[in-house]
Amino acid sequence: MQHRARRFVFNVDVEDFFGSINFGRVRGFFIKDRNFGLNPAAATVLAQIACFKNSLPQGSPCSPVISNLIGHVMDIHLTWLARSEGITYSRYADDLTFSTNKRSFPLSVAIESHSHKWEPGGTLKHLIGRGGFALNEKKTRMQYHDSRQQVTGLVVNRKISAPVEYRHHVRALVHAYTSSGNFFLKKFGDRDLGPVKVVEEKGKPQQLRGMLEYVVYASRRGKVAEDSVPLNAAERMYRSFVLFHDFYAPAVPLVLCEGKTDLVYVAQAARGLAKAYPQLAAIGGDGKITLLFRRHRYPIRDRGKLTARVLGINGGTPHIKQFIDVLLNEYKSIKAPPGRQPVIIALDDDDGLKAIRNYVKGVLKKELDQSAEFHHLFGNVYIVLTPPLLGQASSEMEDLFDTDTRAREVGGKKFDASKDLDTKTSYGKATFAYEVVAKHAAGIDFSGFKPMLDRFVLVINDHKARTSKGAVA
């Protein structure tokens, strides 16, 4: 951001950045730096752990941290130089950048030796040398405002973004993935073994997700935009990937609930009843229980927030109704073979279901019948409602727990599932899910969840039958 929309952007590269920080420099730093001040024996051991073949190795998680500590003195000197000349300085590993809107670039930092041929200035080379480093002058470049300016691979002319070639490449990979279920990446051979060979290697979805997140975060300045802001092109591309990978072709059955608490109930119930439901949970030889379905989790960290933003679901039936419509329209454009695992949307059969019931009836021409075990909407998408309760017109997940579990007190308060509970005397669904159900699952009777889990199994079997017949429309 600090180099955006500048007249000049000057880049220089430190030669063999990690390799120039040898064992002696690392050990000496740990001994002499006042924030460490280690005794020589301890400094030697740490330096031996951090170094490989007498220097910091490329790829080690220690190398960037230690190199930044050792390079801090150089950064102080270069920051002082930049401030004295009225320009901006930043460093990312071995990539040093200076920028300014001045009419001419300071000679202490960069000199134009020939027409548009620039070299590092004398003061800059001197300060980098004092820091124990040297420049790779072959990588020195001056970038003008009327040409593409890049800093650490990002374009900084007017707005921050990944280069257009990279974005087009990622878009092509997403298209290939959603068209065939596969995509391929170019892999370069080891240069030390002779001429570099380029081969195509089948890509992994995690790789493509990472590439997409890089493009999205670059377009949004490293942040997740507010929900009220329309999706940009990068986010729409990310959404296509997520809808295909997580929903159209999930590796295992996917369960989507109205909120975080329902996901806790379903997971703990499946674990508690694992012996009766081998299609939902597996018990290992060590007694550890593994769920055989995946839950769509609601946002906690940045990745979850980004996924929630592009999908438009943060919990609640209104969001799920909109998401079903997004799924329906997105599925029409996917050309890859249908996924072999179902998406199970588990919902409370209460007043909040009205909007979804009206949508399903109006758009899909189907009724959400309370007595039905499950409802197939389209493709691999199903709705499962909470089972009806005797003598009641509605039901919700919390009704499936036994009386003793619902009666448990937390901090002297009783459980109240209503939205307008008195917090002085009662606790709500979140506390019930995490403080009662999750913490005391081993002692809870989950038999009330059997009708719900039975419906999950029926959905899995139904979708298996549909895919075997090719009837998944």
Side-chain angles (χ1 to χ4, degrees):
M1 279 301 298
Q2 60 188 321
H3 298 296
R4 186 179 67 86
R6 295 299 179 95
R7 183 189 296 271
F8 298 102
V9 175
F10 181 62
N11 295 108
V12 293
D13 187 86
V14 176
E15 188 170 23
D16 192 20
F17 181 61
F18 289 143
S20 62
I21 303 177
N22 58 30
F23 173 85
R25 290 185 71 179
V26 175
R27 179 179 180 274
F29 173 80
F30 285 139
I31 295 172
K32 296 176 182 178
D33 185 81
R34 65 182 181 182
N35 293 313
F36 287 86
L38 303 180
N39 66 60
T44 299
V45 171
L46 286 180
Q48 288 172 332
I49 293 172
C51 293
F52 178 71
K53 294 184 178 179
N54 198 43
S55 64
L56 292 179
Q58 187 87 21
S60 164
C62 298
S63 297
V65 179
I66 296 174
S67 64
N68 280 339
L69 291 169
I70 293 176
H72 184 61
V73 173
M74 178 184 72
D75 287 330
I76 292 175
H77 292 154
L78 296 182
T79 300
W80 168 84
L81 172 63
R83 286 179 179 174
S84 66
E85 295 287 8
I87 62 176
T88 300
Y89 161 72
S90 72
R91 179 179 64 83
Y92 180 77
D94 59 353
D95 191 349
L96 282 60
T97 303
F98 300 84
S99 66
T100 183
N101 276 325
K102 289 186 171 184
R103 297 189 65 86
S104 59
F105 209 87
L107 299 179
S108 61
V109 179
I111 301 172
E112 188 176 16
S113 57
H114 305 290
S115 179
H116 303 302
K117 175 67 176 177
W118 292 79
E119 297 177 355
T123 306
L124 175 60
K125 288 194 287 188
H126 171 71
L127 293 177
I128 290 175
R130 281 184 59 186
F133 300 97
L135 290 176
N136 181 355
E137 298 196 22
K138 293 180 181 178
K139 293 187 177 181
T140 297
R141 70 188 192 278
M142 178 67 80
Q143 303 170 98
Y144 305 103
H145 67 92
D146 56 355
S147 62
R148 184 162 70 178
Q149 296 171 318
Q150 288 185 250
V151 177
T152 62
L154 293 175
V155 178
V156 296
N157 290 70
R158 288 182 297 174
K159 60 181 182 179
I160 310 299
S161 66
V164 64
E165 298 90 348
Y166 186 83
R167 286 183 275 128
H168 287 172
H169 173 60
V170 174
R171 184 181 295 117
L173 295 179
V174 172
H175 177 73
Y177 187 44
T178 57
S179 297
S180 65
N182 293 305
F183 65 96
F184 294 86
L185 298 171
K186 291 183 178 180
K187 183 179 180 181
F188 297 88
D190 193 334
R191 296 179 184 274
D192 296 334
L193 300 179
V196 177
K197 293 182 179 180
V198 181
V199 296
E200 282 200 334
E201 184 177 71
K202 185 177 178 180
K204 299 177 181 179
Q206 298 95 317
Q207 292 173 300
L208 185 51
R209 188 189 291 269
M211 298 165 77
L212 283 161
E213 288 177 350
Y214 170 71
V215 174
V216 170
Y217 281 114
S219 71
R220 290 297 189 190
R221 302 178 184 179
K223 300 178 181 178
V224 176
E226 297 295 327
D227 291 339
S228 58
V229 178
L231 299 183
N232 62 21
E235 291 166 327
R236 291 194 298 272
M237 186 164 58
Y238 184 79
R239 182 177 68 179
S240 295
F241 167 83
V242 172
L243 288 174
F244 177 81
H245 180 264
D246 292 359
F247 292 88
Y248 186 84
V252 296
L254 176 68
V255 176
L256 171 65
C257 294
E258 294 179 45
K260 300 175 185 178
T261 56
D262 289 349
L263 292 173
V264 174
Y265 306 152
V266 168
Q268 296 299 343
R271 291 190 179 100
L273 301 170
K275 291 182 179 179
Y277 294 94
Q279 286 179 284
L280 301 178
I283 305 175
D286 58 355
K288 183 178 180 181
I289 298 174
T290 303
L291 296 179
L292 301 181
F293 61 91
R294 190 173 73 82
R295 295 166 290 160
H296 177 79
R297 298 180 183 274
Y298 287 97
I300 299 176
R301 300 177 179 86
D302 279 351
R303 171 173 287 181
K305 291 178 182 177
L306 175 58
T307 301
R309 167 170 162 72
V310 299
L311 297 182
I313 46 176
N314 287 286
T317 49
H319 285 173
I320 291 179
K321 187 208 82 171
Q322 297 166 13
F323 178 63
I324 293 173
D325 191 56
V326 169
L327 273 181
L328 177 63
N329 290 302
E330 184 73 19
Y331 275 26
K332 295 176 182 176
S333 64
I334 296 176
K335 299 177 182 178
R340 304 194 69 82
Q341 300 292 349
V343 172
I344 304 171
I345 303 176
L347 302 173
D348 291 338
D349 187 5
D350 57 12
D351 293 340
L353 188 64
K354 183 177 180 180
I356 294 178
R357 180 173 272 121
N358 291 340
Y359 172 85
V360 171
K361 183 176 182 179
V363 176
L364 301 176
K365 311 303 179 186
K366 297 182 179 183
E367 294 279 356
L368 293 185
D369 184 359
Q370 287 180 312
S371 63
E373 299 287 358
F374 62 84
H375 305 82
H376 176 248
L377 300 187
F378 54 85
N380 65 337
V381 181
Y382 293 76
I383 282 181
V384 168
L385 302 179
T386 50
L389 300 175
L390 186 63
Q392 295 187 27
S394 63
S395 63
E396 57 184 14
M397 286 277 191
E398 287 78 11
D399 295 327
L400 306 182
F401 287 96
D402 63 286
T403 305
D404 290 342
T405 301
R406 290 172 58 89
R408 292 200 185 202
E409 293 189 2
V410 176
K413 299 179 181 180
K414 295 183 177 181
F415 174 49
D416 185 349
S418 63
K419 294 180 180 179
D420 54 349
L421 59 90
D422 183 354
T423 56
K424 294 181 180 179
T425 59
S426 306
Y427 65 86
K429 293 184 178 182
T431 300
F432 180 70
Y434 296 106
E435 297 299 321
V436 175
V437 178
K439 285 189 176 180
H440 305 283
I444 291 177
D445 177 9
F446 286 103
S447 58
F449 276 82
K450 286 185 176 181
M452 193 75 178
L453 299 185
D454 287 340
R455 294 181 172 192
F456 285 6
V457 172
L458 288 172
V459 167
I460 293 171
N461 292 337
D462 181 79
H463 188 65
K464 184 177 180 180
R466 286 175 183 272
T467 52
S468 63
K469 296 176 182 178
V472 292

